[in-house]
Amino acid sequence: MIQRVRAIAAAWPRIARLIPSQDGPEVFLARNLEMLALGDRLVRARGGRLVYELLDIHGMMLGQGLASRILRRIEAGLMRRAQLVVLSSPAFETRYLSHFNQPDVPTLLVENKPFARGDVLSPVATNTPGQDSNGGPLVIGWFGMLRCRWSLGVLDDVTRAHPGQFQVILRGRPALDVMVDFDGIVAANPDLSFLGAYNWPDDLPSIYAQVDVAWLIDRYQAGQNSDWLLPNRLYEGCLNKAVPVVLENTEVARRVTAWDCGVTVATPDVDAVFDALSALDPVTLAARRAAVEGLPPEALEMNDAECNRLTAAICGAAASHAQVSVS
C-alpha cells in the first residue's frame, strides 16, 4: 500500500499532460482505489465520465481502525464524483458499500465470466473421473492462484486420513509467501500432485477433464473477500463439467445452491470436508455433473448482448442502477 501511495504521488502532477486536451477519452475506468484517485484527477483536468471498478476489497478498507476509516472517507469522496461503480459480486454492495454507508452511486454487476468463445473455452466431450467409471478415487482439482493455506492443510489432512479415497491435483501458481511449506507438504503426500502452471484459457478443457470436482473454497481472507467473491474458477469449472465444491455461508455457495449443481461443505473443518466429499458416490456425482451440464450458457459466459449492455452502462447510455446479471 505504501508503494501504491508513492506511485500515485509520482504520477499525480504529470498524468494530465499525457492525455490530449481535445479528442481525449470520454470515459475513465478506474480499477481500484488508487486508480480512482488518478481517474478523478484526469476528469477534473480533461473532463469525461468516471467509472469505479470494485473487483475486490483490500483488507485495509475494512474494520473501524483509524487507517480504515480514513481510506473509506477518501474513497467516499472520490466515489461521489463517479457516475457508476462496477462490481463483480453482489456481496460487495451488501457487505461493503451498504454496510459502511458509502455513497449511493449507481452500480453494475458484472460477474467474472469468460467471453463466449466456443473455439477456446468450450468444454471437452467427456471428463475422465475416478468415481463414475472404475470406482477409483474422487479426483479434486484446485486450480488458479493457490493462496489458501487452510485449503492446503485440510486437503492434506483428509487425504492422509483416508489414503487412496481422494486424489488432489493442483495447477496454477502457489503463493509461497503464504504457504511457505507448500512444496514439502505436496512432496510428502502421494495423494497430492502439483502439476505446475497452465496456459489460460487453452489448457482449461484438458486440466478439468482430469478431475471430478473443482475446489472453490478459499479462506485466505475468511470473513471478507474470500466469503464475498464470485471467482472466475466457478464459471470455468462449470463450463468444463467439473462439479464445484463450496463452503456454506459464502457468496459462491449461495450461487451454487441457486443453480443446484454443487457440493456444499457445512463448516470449515476437516470432518465437514470429508463428509461432503465422501457423500459423492458414483450416482450422486453423476447427478451433480448432469446439473452442471444443464446450466444455461448465459449463466457461465458473457455473450455479445451482455457485453453491449456493459458498454452502454459504462458510457452512460444505460438506465441508472442497471444490473447486469444472468443468474
Side-chain angles (χ1 to χ4, degrees):
M1 183 60 73
I2 293 175
Q3 291 177 339
R4 293 181 180 183
V5 171
R6 288 174 177 170
I8 295 171
W12 185 269
R14 57 187 177 87
I15 191 170
R17 298 196 298 270
L18 302 177
I19 303 298
S21 58
Q22 294 182 345
D23 299 324
E26 297 177 8
V27 180
F28 294 95
L29 180 63
R31 293 204 61 183
N32 47 40
L33 179 57
E34 58 267 33
M35 294 301 102
L36 181 62
L38 294 178
D40 178 70
R41 170 84 170 100
L42 287 170
V43 168
R44 287 171 175 265
R46 294 289 182 258
R49 180 177 171 86
L50 182 61
V51 178
Y52 184 26
E53 192 173 17
L54 194 61
L55 302 183
D56 59 22
I57 313 296
H58 195 284
M60 289 188 66
M61 305 296 297
L62 305 170
Q64 295 298 334
L66 179 61
S68 297
R69 288 187 281 116
I70 290 174
L71 285 172
R72 287 198 301 272
R73 185 173 299 176
I74 293 172
E75 180 185 55
L78 295 170
M79 280 180 60
R80 289 188 181 95
R81 293 190 284 273
Q83 282 74 47
L84 181 71
V85 178
V86 176
L87 308 170
S88 60
S89 169
F92 291 157
E93 181 162 18
T94 58
R95 301 296 299 275
Y96 177 69
L97 294 177
S98 297
H99 178 76
F100 287 108
N101 297 313
Q102 294 297 78
D104 184 17
V105 178
T107 60
L108 178 73
L109 176 62
V110 182
E111 299 174 29
N112 284 309
K113 298 182 292 187
F115 290 112
R117 295 176 58 194
D119 59 323
V120 175
L121 284 172
S122 58
V124 295
T126 58
N127 286 34
T128 55
Q131 282 289 301
D132 68 350
S133 58
N134 57 19
L138 182 76
V139 184
I140 304 160
W142 182 19
F143 303 148
M145 177 59 72
L146 312 178
R147 61 182 181 179
C148 177
R149 182 175 179 81
W150 179 89
S151 290
L152 180 64
V154 77
L155 290 171
D156 183 48
D157 289 344
V158 168
T159 50
R160 285 182 177 278
H162 307 276
Q165 187 170 348
F166 309 105
Q167 180 185 356
V168 181
I169 297 177
L170 303 100
R171 297 292 303 266
R173 299 185 182 277
L176 298 180
D177 58 329
V178 177
M179 302 181 294
V180 294
D181 50 355
F182 176 86
D183 292 331
I185 290 175
V186 173
N189 187 337
D191 288 323
L192 298 183
S193 301
F194 176 56
L195 304 183
Y198 56 90
N199 293 321
W200 184 96
D202 304 67
D203 292 345
L204 292 179
S206 61
I207 66 174
Y208 277 105
Q210 302 173 24
V211 305
D212 296 303
V213 300
W215 184 263
L216 269 62
I217 299 177
D218 182 3
R219 303 280 293 162
Y220 175 67
Q221 293 177 303
Q224 299 175 0
N225 257 343
S226 293
D227 291 356
W228 305 341
L229 287 170
L230 288 175
N232 57 3
R233 69 186 79 180
L234 166 66
Y235 311 96
E236 294 173 353
C238 289
L239 277 170
N240 289 283
K241 304 183 182 180
V243 175
V245 178
V246 297
L247 180 64
E248 186 70 65
N249 294 321
T250 61
E251 192 64 29
V252 69
R254 283 184 277 274
R255 177 58 55 85
V256 167
T257 298
W259 288 348
D260 192 24
C261 69
V263 178
T264 301
V265 176
T267 55
D269 59 69
V270 173
D271 291 340
V273 170
F274 172 73
D275 290 344
L277 295 178
S278 61
L280 278 175
D281 56 43
V283 173
T284 304
L285 180 61
R288 296 289 84 195
R289 181 173 293 120
V292 169
E293 294 178 0
L295 292 173
E298 61 269 20
L300 303 175
E301 296 178 307
M302 178 173 274
N303 56 30
D304 288 345
E306 191 170 356
C307 288
N308 290 333
R309 290 195 295 271
L310 168 60
T311 303
I314 289 176
C315 294
S320 180
H321 290 278
Q323 292 290 329
V324 175
S325 178
V326 294
S327 58

